[in-house]
């Protein structure tokens, strides 16, 4: 129990996060037993508010969960019609043919979707089955009963912004207790991070690796729009500075999703991921597509990239990690929603079996076994060496060696065994004096935009009278350590302009503009001193991505 007395509500299963993993778990629990009590808590103002539209969906997870989804009105209606891969140079591009690629890399049979709208639809299905869904309910802490995770505190408001103590309008929220608690918070969720640390779930596993994904939605000239077209690129502008690449997906209403991913294991602390994204849009191929169009939304989030060898133990007493909380993204395919849905389904089935046997609060070992030995494990095991090859030897080695290994894995073989990742992304950061400063062109306001202008298109909002959810373990570190050693990279790696160094020399100060935060978690991951801690905001807030 926590020290503060709060109202208590009890359920069979408490689920944190109304993403594809959490909603799939809720639906499956009700499919298996309509009398099961299930609640889903979502920190966004509505389901989908924290999910920026735009993904290519492998429908295998949806097929397994809701085989009749095609007749149920699911917003999954744009099949991939064209699949292109390009290697970019500064002034041109070379198309990589599809035929040498492993079969798992094809997008045939996949769909371009707004995952925000898919989640909104899944929420409707869940509520129709009797699941309780509470949006706008940030889960600020875990509740323990002895050694087990017993629930969460949700809906806390009104702490003093300076001291963190209860203010005059304080609302303590409530404790939601579950016989099992599922954490589907997405990448680097604060509660998941606590569970991983408390129960040492990463022990014996490789460190998790991450990328920063940034995305804009554009409305373009109808003459240039090709519904169902998918384009991926690699190479320029990143070159040898960092791994990563782009995606452009053509969806309904003459819209395209333009995304850019930078792997966060880059060494040069002068690298500015957001400006790499803005520079990318000036490539002739991309600029021509966007010419005459307009950007209508922007957002960013971290992506788990460690894959098979970085998956932590996924269960602890009373708790299970779902989807991106466990790092189930297939990096070469840039897909994780299908595995998130499959993980939610598997966790629900394990919990149903346990509850039917009269168990509660123990480890759902059947869930762990299904993830590692079932469809998710098979999906991730085939591609497990692509990321470490890229990190060690660069893009070309990853394309050739990783591609060959994926081909070998299609018949159950491997060329490399299981490679290790080694350093964390934070530890990969080099000293500022060892690298050249990168000169980025100024945004032109037509194709490229400054960060604060773009953040306005994420519709992000945090109450300035709530405590900052971005914490420094030691307030002196940014100026005393990170600035002289690393040129304080928080100024650059944050895609929302949250962190600033003001003044210089003895007058330098570090400012945190937490109101700008789009909840990407990059700071929690990339800070070389591991001094920044991202926590779930008390009182909520964050992006409010448009319903498109």
């Amino acid at each position: 129990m926590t020290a503060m007395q709060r109202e208590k509500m009890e359920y069979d299963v408490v689920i944190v996060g109304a993403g594809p993993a959490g909603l799939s778990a809720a639906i499956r629990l009700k499919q298996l037993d309509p009398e099961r009590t299930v609640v889903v808590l979502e920190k966004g103002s509505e389901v989908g508010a924290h999910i920026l539209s735009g993904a290519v969906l492998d429908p295998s997870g949806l097929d397994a969960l809701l085989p009749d989804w095609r007749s149920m009105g699911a917003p999954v209606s744009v099949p991939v019609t064209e699949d292109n891969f390009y290697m970019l140079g500064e002034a041109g591009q070379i198309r990589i043919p599809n035929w040498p690629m492993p079969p798992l890399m094809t997008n045939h049979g996949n769909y371009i979707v707004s995952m925000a709208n898919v989640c909104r639809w899944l929420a409707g299905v869940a509520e129709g089955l009797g699941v309780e869904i509470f949006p706008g309910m940030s889960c600020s802490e875990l509740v323990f009963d002895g050694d087990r995770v017993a629930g969460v505190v949700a809906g806390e408001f009104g702490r003093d912004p300076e001291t963190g103590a209860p203010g005059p309008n304080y609302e303590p929220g409530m404790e939601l207790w579950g016989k099992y608690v599922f954490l589907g918070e997405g990448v680097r969720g604060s509660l998941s991070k606590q569970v991983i640390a408390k129960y040492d779930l990463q022990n014996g596993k490789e460190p998790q690796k991450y990328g920063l994904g940034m995305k804009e939605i554009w409305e373009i000239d109808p003459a240039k729009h090709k519904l169902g077209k998918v384009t991926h690129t690699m190479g320029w502008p990143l070159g040898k500075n960092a791994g990563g690449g782009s995606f452009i997906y053509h969806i309904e209403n003459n819209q395209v999703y333009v995304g850019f991913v930078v792997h966060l294991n880059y060494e040069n602390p002068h690298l500015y991921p957001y400006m790499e994204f803005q520079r990318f849009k000036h490539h002739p191929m991309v600029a021509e597509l966007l010419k005459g169009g307009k950007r209508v939304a922007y957002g960013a989030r971290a992506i788990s990239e460690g894959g098979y060898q970085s998956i932590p133990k996924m269960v602890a007493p009373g708790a299970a990690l779902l989807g991106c909380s466990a790092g189930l993204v297939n990096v070469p395919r840039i897909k994780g929603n299908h595995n998130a849905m499959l993980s939610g389904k598997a966790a629900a089935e394990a919990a149903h079996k346990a509850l039917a046997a009269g168990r509660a609060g123990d480890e759902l070992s059947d869930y762990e076994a299904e993830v590692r030995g079932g469809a998710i494990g098979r999906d991730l095991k085939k591609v497990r060496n692509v990321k470490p090859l890229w990190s060690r030897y660069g893009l070309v080695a990853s394309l050739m060696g990783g591609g060959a290994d994926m081909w070998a894995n299609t018949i159950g073989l491997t060329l490399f065994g299981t490679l290790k990742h080694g350093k964390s992304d934070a530890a990969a950061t080099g000293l500022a004096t060892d690298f050249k400063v990168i000169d980025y062109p100024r945004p032109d306001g037509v194709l490229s935009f400054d960060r604060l202008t773009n953040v306005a298109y994420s519709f992000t909002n945090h109450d300035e009278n709530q405590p900052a959810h971005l914490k420094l373990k030691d307030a002196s570190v940014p100026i005393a350590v990170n600035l002289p050693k690393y040129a304080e990279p928080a100024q650059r790696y944050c895609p929302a302009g949250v962190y600033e160094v003001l003044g210089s020399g003895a007058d330098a100060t570090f400012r945190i503009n937490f109101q700008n935060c789009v909840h990407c978690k990059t700071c929690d991951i990339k800070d070389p001193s591991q001094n920044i801690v991202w926590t779930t905001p008390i009182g909520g807030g964050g992006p409010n991505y448009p319903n498109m």
Side-chain angles (χ1 to χ4, degrees):
M1 285 287 293
T2 55
M4 182 176 294
Q5 293 300 310
R6 296 181 170 96
E7 181 182 351
K8 177 180 174 181
M9 298 179 67
E10 297 190 33
Y11 294 86
D12 289 321
V13 180
V14 173
I15 301 172
V16 180
L23 291 170
S24 296
I27 289 169
R28 187 59 178 152
L29 282 162
K30 282 292 193 176
Q31 287 174 335
L32 292 167
D33 184 350
E35 301 304 312
R36 192 70 65 206
T37 56
V38 182
V39 64
V40 179
L41 305 166
E42 166 57 38
K43 66 182 173 69
S45 59
E46 64 169 327
V47 174
H50 287 180
I51 302 176
L52 182 61
S53 301
V56 172
L57 178 68
D58 174 343
S60 59
L62 201 53
D63 287 338
L65 180 71
L66 296 165
D68 297 329
W69 61 265
R70 291 170 179 82
S71 62
M72 294 172 65
V76 181
S77 58
V78 180
V80 175
T81 57
E82 186 178 339
D83 205 0
N84 301 304
F85 295 83
Y86 290 95
M87 182 71 72
L88 299 187
E90 186 169 2
Q93 65 276 344
I94 298 173
R95 184 177 177 191
I96 302 172
N98 295 67
W99 62 263
M101 296 185 184
L104 61 89
M105 293 296 291
T106 181
N107 276 309
H108 177 72
N110 296 331
Y111 294 81
I112 304 174
V113 299
S114 159
M115 279 310 298
N117 287 340
V118 171
C119 287
R120 292 181 179 105
W121 177 79
L122 287 172
V125 173
E127 288 179 322
L129 294 172
V131 175
E132 295 181 38
I133 300 177
F134 298 140
M137 292 286 278
S138 290
C139 296
S140 54
E141 61 182 277
L142 294 164
V143 176
F144 294 94
D145 182 14
D147 189 50
R148 81 174 179 101
V149 178
V152 296
V153 174
E156 189 178 15
F157 293 91
R159 287 192 177 271
D160 184 271
E162 299 298 327
T163 67
N169 299 313
Y170 179 65
E171 294 288 341
M174 63 180 66
E175 292 183 0
L176 294 102
W177 283 54
K179 295 171 184 174
Y180 294 100
V181 177
F182 291 171
L183 300 177
E185 303 173 282
V187 174
R188 198 81 166 190
S190 56
L191 301 185
S192 303
K193 189 179 173 183
Q194 291 176 47
V195 168
I196 290 170
K198 177 179 175 62
Y199 298 100
D200 199 18
L201 302 185
Q202 204 69 43
N203 183 41
K205 314 297 183 184
E206 284 295 292
Q208 187 57 265
K209 307 293 284 183
Y210 299 92
L212 170 59
M214 296 157 285
K215 191 183 301 181
E216 294 173 355
I217 303 177
W218 281 70
E219 291 179 2
I220 64 169
D221 182 345
K224 301 174 184 177
H225 187 265
K226 296 183 178 180
L227 188 66
K229 182 178 179 179
V230 166
T231 298
H232 291 99
T233 78
M234 295 169 286
W236 190 87
L238 291 173
K240 294 182 179 180
N241 285 322
S246 82
F247 56 88
I248 302 173
Y249 304 149
H250 292 239
I251 192 69
E252 299 112 324
N253 302 317
N254 297 315
Q255 291 185 341
V256 293
Y257 303 142
V258 182
F260 197 79
V261 178
V262 177
H263 300 171
L264 289 177
N265 62 349
Y266 62 83
E267 295 180 328
N268 186 348
H270 302 295
L271 187 80
Y272 196 160
Y274 175 85
M275 290 307 300
E276 297 286 351
F277 175 32
Q278 299 306 303
R279 185 161 61 162
F280 157 75
K281 290 182 291 176
H282 286 273
H283 187 276
M285 182 181 78
V286 184
E288 177 57 31
L289 176 69
L290 301 180
K291 182 179 179 181
K294 65 177 182 178
R295 160 217 48 183
V296 295
Y298 165 76
R301 60 167 294 177
I303 303 166
S304 58
E305 294 187 339
Y308 184 80
Q309 53 270 63
S310 296
I311 300 173
K313 183 180 178 182
M314 300 175 65
V315 294
L321 306 177
L322 310 185
C324 286
S325 291
L328 304 183
V329 171
N330 185 314
V331 175
R333 299 182 70 201
I334 321 179
K335 292 179 180 63
N337 289 307
H338 65 301
N339 284 339
M341 297 179 73
L342 290 171
S343 74
K345 177 176 178 289
E349 290 168 352
H352 170 74
K353 180 179 177 182
L355 292 166
R359 291 162 43 204
D362 59 347
E363 293 189 359
L364 294 172
S365 56
D366 285 354
Y367 167 56
E368 180 96 16
E370 172 58 27
V371 169
R372 296 187 186 277
I376 297 172
R378 291 192 296 271
D379 183 54
L380 297 181
K381 195 170 184 179
K382 291 177 182 177
V383 302
R384 66 192 183 278
N385 291 321
V386 175
K387 171 68 175 179
L389 282 169
W390 197 334
S391 299
R392 292 186 193 184
Y393 306 114
L395 174 58
V396 175
S398 175
L399 285 174
M400 297 179 65
D405 195 50
M406 284 190 285
W407 269 111
N409 269 280
T410 61
I411 56 173
L413 303 176
T414 176
L415 303 181
F416 305 106
T418 299
L419 298 177
K420 295 183 177 181
H421 293 302
K423 296 178 181 178
S424 70
D425 292 332
T429 310
L431 298 176
T433 54
D434 293 339
F435 296 90
K436 292 182 179 180
V437 174
I438 303 172
D439 184 22
Y440 290 99
R442 292 176 62 87
D444 66 0
V446 179
L447 288 177
S448 50
F449 312 96
D450 66 81
R451 279 186 299 188
L452 295 186
T453 298
N454 241 356
V455 168
Y457 282 79
S458 69
F459 307 99
T460 292
N461 180 61
H462 293 88
D463 184 354
E464 294 186 9
N465 294 316
Q466 70 187 39
H469 61 285
L470 301 162
K471 314 288 187 183
L472 298 179
K473 296 177 184 176
D474 183 338
S476 70
V477 164
I479 300 303
V481 178
N482 282 0
L483 187 59
K485 292 183 68 175
Y486 309 105
E488 185 42 275
Q491 302 173 90
R492 293 174 293 280
Y493 60 58
C494 174
V498 169
Y499 303 101
E500 291 183 282
V501 174
L502 304 176
S504 61
D507 295 326
T509 58
F510 189 65
R511 176 185 290 176
I512 301 176
N513 304 300
F514 77 91
Q515 300 91 340
N516 292 356
C517 180
V518 295
H519 296 194
C520 75
K521 325 285 178 61
T522 300
C523 55
D524 195 291
I525 295 162
K526 186 59 177 172
D527 177 45
S529 298
Q530 287 294 274
N531 188 52
I532 300 174
V533 180
W534 191 97
T535 61
T536 302
I538 292 175
N544 287 279
Y545 294 132
N547 185 352
M548 292 182 173

